[in-house]
Amino acid sequence: MPIRRLYADTATCAQQVADALGPDLRVAAPLGLGKPHGLLNALYALTAADTTRSMRLYTALSLTRPRPKPGLEARFLEPFLRRHFGADQIDPQYAIDQARDALPPNVEVHEFYLQSGALLHSASAQRSYISQNYTHVARDLVLQEINLLVQLVARREDPDGVHYSLSSNPDLTLDFLRQMQAAGKARPLCVAVVHPDLPYMSGAAEVPESFFDIELQPETSPPLFALPRLPLDVAEYALGLHASALVKDGGCLQIGIGALSDALVKALLLRQQSNSAWRGALASLDAGGNTRTLAGYLGGTAPLVTGLYGASEMVMDGFMHLQRGGILKRRSWDNLALERASVAGRLNPATPGGHYLRGAFFLGSRELYAWLGETEAADPDAIDMCPVSHVNQLYGDHQTLAALQRRGARFFNTCMMATLLGAAVSDTLEEGAVVSGVGGQYNFVAMAHELADGRSVLLLRATRMGRNGLESNIRWNYGQTTIPRHLRDIYVTEYGVADLRGKSDSECVEAMLSISDACFLDALCAEAKAHGKLAPDFVIPAAWRRNRPDCLRQSLAPLQRKGLLPKFPFGSDFDDVEQRLLPALNWLKGCAISWRGKWRLLKAVVRPGDAVAGEAEALKRMGLAAPATWKDRLQQRVLLAALRRPL
């Protein structure tokens, strides 16, 4: 039976695609939001049920809903997850099976970026992971004999005909198909799966009807995957304040995802909207004046009058908040945007034009997806979703324009650990287990060194809770690195900024010590001396001994009293009772990591203390107001201990 172009039934589409391509499917699918889970699940099910077939999938960031552990975690998360994601959310079944090491033998899944921490214990995922820079993925896919490309798209029909938008993921599709053509390879079968809620983004993300061979428009579509908004603590706010002083007015900004990036965005908004309070907090945190000295020639302390231009592989909620706050507004034209604006009659020298944000994929909250759609409708030139090769590197025919767009660039990324000599650990643990992936981090670090006034800024917490209690994230050495020491640039922790560019090894060690937690200074200093990287007579300055959490709380207390550092700076997906439960549950999680924590928890369970406000509502929300079994009674006792913990 010849394959049709239009389908409404996912199972029929999958069956006919599989029959047309033969027994061996080699599938490429976008990362994150752009994966059509329904179609992929149908293809996966067909393959799993027929041992004469095989399926090899190349993708990244396969998003699945959290699967909480039994006990208090499940009691808290399961009602929240049902409410947040909805009953119709579809997870990629191959990702669930891979996490359980239960993929059938005729299916392989290769990802170049893993959902952070989700597959640490999956032997299959760890073996099949491909370590690649984001900009090299399209090139390497050409070698894999891909015969099927599937993508979630937005659809628009007007007098000119049907058009599709790659929407959230023009990142690799355009580069991959271009490189397939250049290599003389046969073009894979391309399937567009239409989602009615996906924002229609024009510009480079828009493609003609002929771009896809098949259109699948299911009668019903699951809700788009939306990330819950995160809380911020004092240390993250302190880090964000330091980092925000490095941003240069009129410059270019790249930011990643997570609490540290949210802290940076909130700090930039404070710099813009409450400048005197922001300056006061920075001065209190920066007792030695190092951050403010660096701000004098790298960034600034005044509001951002000219504003910023965004160039980030990932477009996330932070850019939306910066645009609404009057910060993301410096515009830039490129040749494609000029051509499209001219055809549409939008070129007018008297009004601003061009885009203020360029990205390769987006992922965030439902509010972000709505903002993208509204912005496209009101100001179609504002956001340029384009191939990752146009965002993460300077090479190619757009090199000169890209360098001009990215003047004063500050590329902010996060890492897990850093060494005293300036190497970064961002994706892999010492024994080789992959936490996430390289993604575009190396690209942006290298690009910062190529741009005349660009800087790479890596953000990390100074400490974390480990099996032996508190551990330093700044190490003498580590068995895996993502960014080598010869690309060292700027690091920021909650205790300050370390500028390593062009510095000697001993100067780098001193700079990294200055932003380390005071608990670990003596041990780190001794290790550096033992390896000959610090002078034997070096003495730790007294000011560095103040690198302690209590000093951070003291410094930021005035901003907290003014309500300028809310726990959820951009709103919360948790209700009031859940927001009270979160710190208690996090305390329990921290206690469970180390033996000291377990001992502390045991003492608290034996003597939980006096009742606290909101306790009854919290027990009711957790289904523990009237425990029926001994396990329930034990969980109630543990929860009460957490709620009544000393603050």
Side-chain angles (χ1 to χ4, degrees), residues 156-211:
R156 177 179 290 172
E157 190 167 356
D158 55 32
D160 295 330
V162 173
H163 298 272
Y164 301 109
S165 171
L166 303 182
S167 187
S168 62
N169 288 88
D171 51 336
L172 291 173
T173 300
L174 298 170
D175 283 337
F176 165 59
L177 292 177
R178 175 179 54 80
Q179 293 198 37
M180 285 284 282
Q181 183 179 19
K185 299 272 190 177
R187 193 176 191 270
L189 186 73
C190 296
V191 181
V193 181
V194 177
H195 196 293
D197 300 329
L198 203 60
Y200 191 100
M201 309 303 293
S202 58
E206 189 174 44
V207 296
E209 185 177 17
S210 58
F211 187 88

Side-chain angles (χ1 to χ4, degrees), residues 42 73 137 222 246 374 476:
E73 184 176 312
V137 174
L246 304 176
E374 292 162 3
W476 163 248

Side-chain angles (χ1 to χ4, degrees), residues 287-413:
N290 182 55
T291 299
R292 285 166 292 165
T293 299
L294 291 172
Y297 64 90
L298 288 180
T301 57
L304 301 153
V305 177
T306 302
L308 302 177
Y309 168 79
S312 184
E313 67 180 27
M314 179 176 181
V315 172
M316 32 71 80
D317 286 53
F319 286 108
M320 170 181 68
H321 298 303
L322 291 173
Q323 189 272 335
R324 289 173 172 173
I327 293 174
L328 189 70
K329 61 183 180 182
R330 177 171 74 80
R331 294 188 180 241
S332 173
W333 288 106
D334 61 20
N335 292 336
L336 178 62
L338 280 169
E339 179 183 340
R340 289 178 179 267
S342 177
V343 170
R346 295 196 301 268
L347 276 181
N348 184 350
T351 60
H355 59 274
Y356 50 68
L357 177 58
R358 165 170 279 183
F361 75 98
F362 60 74
L363 179 63
S365 67
R366 293 186 183 88
E367 185 182 4
L368 172 70
Y369 306 150
W371 174 76
L372 287 165
E374 292 162 3
T375 303
E376 168 69 25
D379 187 358
D381 298 322
I383 301 171
D384 178 26
M385 298 300 299
C386 63
V388 71
S389 60
H390 289 191
V391 180
N392 286 29
Q393 63 185 24
L394 297 173
Y395 314 119
D397 57 7
H398 67 295
Q399 178 176 358
T400 302
L401 180 59
L404 291 172
Q405 291 170 338
R406 297 168 204 189
R407 64 180 183 268
R410 299 293 177 264
F411 300 130
F412 290 93
N413 286 282

Side-chain angles (χ1 to χ4, degrees), residues 272-557:
Q272 185 81 350
Q273 299 165 355
S274 304
N275 190 257
S276 60
W278 176 86
R279 284 174 183 251
L282 185 62
S284 182
L285 285 170
D286 183 37
N290 182 55
T291 299
R292 285 166 292 165
T293 299
L294 291 172
Y297 64 90
L298 288 180
T301 57
L304 301 153
V305 177
T306 302
L308 302 177
Y309 168 79
S312 184
E313 67 180 27
M314 179 176 181
V315 172
M316 32 71 80
D317 286 53
F319 286 108
M320 170 181 68
H321 298 303
L322 291 173
Q323 189 272 335
R324 289 173 172 173
I327 293 174
L328 189 70
K329 61 183 180 182
R330 177 171 74 80
R331 294 188 180 241
S332 173
W333 288 106
D334 61 20
N335 292 336
L336 178 62
L338 280 169
E339 179 183 340
R340 289 178 179 267
S342 177
V343 170
R346 295 196 301 268
L347 276 181
N348 184 350
T351 60
H355 59 274
Y356 50 68
L357 177 58
R358 165 170 279 183
F361 75 98
F362 60 74
L363 179 63
S365 67
R366 293 186 183 88
E367 185 182 4
L368 172 70
Y369 306 150
W371 174 76
L372 287 165
E374 292 162 3
T375 303
E376 168 69 25
D379 187 358
D381 298 322
I383 301 171
D384 178 26
M385 298 300 299
C386 63
V388 71
S389 60
H390 289 191
V391 180
N392 286 29
Q393 63 185 24
L394 297 173
Y395 314 119
D397 57 7
H398 67 295
Q399 178 176 358
T400 302
L401 180 59
L404 291 172
Q405 291 170 338
R406 297 168 204 189
R407 64 180 183 268
R410 299 293 177 264
F411 300 130
F412 290 93
N413 286 282
T414 59
C415 60
M416 299 185 299
M417 287 170 277
T419 70
L420 287 177
L421 293 174
V425 181
S426 305
D427 68 304
T428 304
L429 300 180
E430 193 150 33
E431 71 277 11
V434 182
V435 177
S436 52
V438 178
Q441 184 170 117
Y442 176 86
N443 296 140
F444 282 103
V445 172
M447 187 161 39
H449 286 274
E450 296 296 324
L451 291 164
D453 56 356
R455 300 302 298 264
S456 160
V457 186
L458 294 179
L459 313 175
L460 75 157
R461 290 284 297 261
T463 61
R464 72 173 185 274
M465 289 303 299
R467 293 178 181 175
N468 298 315
L470 194 68
E471 297 179 1
S472 177
N473 284 329
I474 296 177
R475 307 292 188 92
W476 163 248
N477 201 9
Y478 199 72
Q480 303 283 342
T481 57
T482 310
I483 304 301
R485 59 187 284 206
H486 66 269
L487 288 178
R488 59 196 182 194
D489 203 341
I490 295 175
Y491 284 92
V492 181
T493 73
E494 60 267 38
Y495 298 120
V497 181
D499 183 3
L500 309 186
R501 183 178 284 195
K503 302 289 179 64
S504 68
D505 278 1
S506 64
E507 290 171 327
C508 287
V509 170
E510 290 183 32
M512 293 300 286
L513 287 173
S514 76
I515 63 170
S516 299
D517 190 281
C519 291
F520 304 97
L521 282 173
D522 291 316
L524 289 169
C525 183
E527 198 156 14
K529 287 181 178 180
H531 289 88
K533 291 298 184 179
L534 267 183
D537 60 351
F538 175 81
V539 177
I540 295 171
W544 300 359
R545 302 288 184 185
R546 287 181 48 81
N547 290 356
R548 304 190 314 270
D550 60 312
C551 292
L552 298 180
R553 288 192 291 270
Q554 182 181 350
S555 295
L556 295 184

Side-chain angles (χ1 to χ4, degrees), residues 56-135:
R56 183 175 291 184
L57 173 63
Y58 294 88
T59 188
L61 196 58
S62 295
L63 297 166
T64 61
R65 288 168 290 183
R67 278 168 169 71
K69 298 175 183 176
L72 291 176
E73 184 176 312
R75 287 179 179 274
F76 178 78
L77 277 180
E78 284 175 353
F80 170 76
L81 295 174
R82 286 194 297 269
R83 185 179 76 237
H84 181 76
F85 289 105
D88 298 328
Q89 187 78 54
I90 296 177
D91 288 325
Q93 188 60 44
Y94 68 83
I96 295 171
D97 289 349
Q98 187 173 48
R100 300 184 295 117
D101 279 326
L103 285 176
N106 57 340
V107 175
E108 295 179 24
V109 179
H110 298 278
E111 301 203 40
F112 70 88
Y113 197 96
L114 308 179
Q115 188 171 0
S116 185
L119 296 171
L120 272 172
H121 305 294
S122 166
S124 167
Q126 293 294 324
R127 289 193 301 268
S128 299
Y129 167 75
I130 301 176
S131 185
Q132 296 167 297
N133 290 324
Y134 202 170
T135 51

